[in-house]
Amino acid sequence: MELRHVFLQKRLTINAFMTTINHNRILILIAFAWLMPAAACSVHKHVPSRQAAFSVLGLGDSITEGGADFSSYLFPLDSLLKKAGYQPRFIGPRFSVQDNDTLHHAGFSGKTAEYLAKTIDSLYTAFPADIVLLHAGHNHFAEEAPIPGIIEAQKKIISTIRSKNSGAVILVAGVITSGKLPKYAYVPDLDLAISSMVDSIHQSSIIFVNQQNGWNWQQHSIQDKVHPNKTGARIIAANWLKAIPGALENKAKQ
């Protein structure tokens, strides 16, 4: 009898222990189920929506178009966007080929911002991109004192695009500096004027992009001291990339 009593006591102890374990397991599962949606929301909150495709219009001169012996920023930007999970579609009336890849754009070698302003109405009507990358300001001489004219041209480009598509996002670059002097001695002052012009518009969908970040013409341009080499093109692309998530968020709020 005494041995039987001891056995029963041990069995009761084991049953109580197992009941406690099962009870704790249930509590853990309930807590996990409760926390999972919050965790998922937290992760989603910090990741921009990248499911929908968006169109991109690279608008500028030869720095946008690229050339036989220098690189366009469009190609590394396309790669960076896709690696980040975005689905860009580059559009425009012209195209360039690099490493067997083809991208469309509105880059016109040798042309000025004033030329783009004259053609933007028909151009954007034909290619109404969600995001416009405006990099225009070269192809003048410092002796022309070209800054006021370039600023007026960029204002016209921006206002024309906005009149046709109020939801368009326009990223306006401070153009890359150059060692081709004195021809491009005006570029640093031009970039300050472009930044001020963008600030004065007070539109969240019009964003200044400082293309001087990481850029050094002595290291990142080809022998002409103007056009980007492959490293320079990647730097320009990376600066665009930094601005695009915020631009897409602003567009989603509109």
Side-chain angles (χ1 to χ4, degrees):
M1 290 294 294
E2 199 172 308
L3 184 60
R4 180 187 174 100
H5 178 73
V6 171
F7 176 76
L8 288 173
Q9 285 292 106
K10 287 185 177 181
R11 185 171 181 179
L12 288 171
T13 301
I14 291 170
N15 286 341
F17 178 70
M18 292 303 296
T19 299
T20 301
I21 289 176
N22 289 332
H23 178 71
N24 289 340
R25 183 181 297 171
I26 291 169
L27 288 176
I28 291 169
L29 289 173
I30 291 171
F32 184 72
W34 181 76
L35 288 171
M36 275 301 290
C41 289
S42 176
V43 171
H44 179 73
K45 187 176 181 181
H46 292 88
V47 179
S49 175
R50 300 176 184 176
Q51 298 305 311
F54 56 87
S55 53
V56 182
L57 178 66
L59 181 61
D61 49 40
S62 56
I63 292 168
T64 297
E65 183 174 15
D69 56 351
F70 62 94
S71 301
S72 166
Y73 64 77
L74 295 173
F75 293 91
L77 177 59
D78 183 46
S79 297
L80 288 170
L81 284 169
K82 288 174 179 175
K83 285 179 182 177
Y86 295 103
Q87 299 178 49
R89 180 170 59 89
F90 288 81
I91 63 174
R94 301 166 70 82
F95 68 89
S96 296
V97 180
Q98 187 172 300
D99 297 328
N100 297 318
D101 190 14
T102 301
L103 291 177
H104 286 80
H105 55 79
F108 300 88
S109 293
K111 300 299 184 180
T112 64
E114 291 88 338
Y115 170 85
L116 298 177
K118 290 177 182 177
T119 60
I120 191 61
D121 192 299
S122 59
L123 195 157
Y124 192 77
T125 298
F127 301 97
D130 298 312
I131 297 179
V132 177
L133 310 177
L134 176 59
H135 186 286
H138 291 93
N139 299 315
H140 281 287
F141 289 85
E143 293 80 6
E144 300 172 45
I147 293 176
I150 294 171
I151 295 300
E152 286 305 308
Q154 292 206 1
K155 284 182 179 178
K156 182 178 179 181
I157 291 167
I158 292 167
S159 64
T160 301
I161 293 171
R162 292 283 297 171
S163 69
K164 292 180 174 295
N165 179 8
S166 61
V169 173
I170 308 171
L171 304 184
V172 187
V175 300
I176 56 173
T177 53
S178 169
K180 192 171 185 178
L181 302 171
K183 180 177 182 178
Y184 289 132
Y186 66 87
V187 167
D189 288 335
L190 170 63
D191 287 355
L192 292 174
I194 292 172
S195 178
S196 296
M197 180 267 292
V198 171
D199 286 344
S200 70
I201 296 174
H202 301 298
Q203 288 282 346
S204 62
S205 59
I206 303 171
I207 302 168
F208 176 76
V209 177
N210 184 3
Q211 285 293 356
Q212 306 313 320
N213 286 334
W215 171 264
N216 182 337
W217 67 263
Q218 293 176 310
Q219 299 175 17
H220 303 137
S221 61
I222 60 173
Q223 288 183 345
D224 67 5
K225 302 178 183 179
V226 179
H227 297 96
N229 56 29
K230 286 189 175 182
T231 301
R234 286 195 293 268
I235 288 170
I236 296 170
N239 286 328
W240 288 126
L241 181 69
K242 289 174 187 175
I244 286 175
L248 291 175
E249 287 179 12
N250 289 339
K251 181 175 174 59
K253 293 174 184 177
Q254 292 177 351

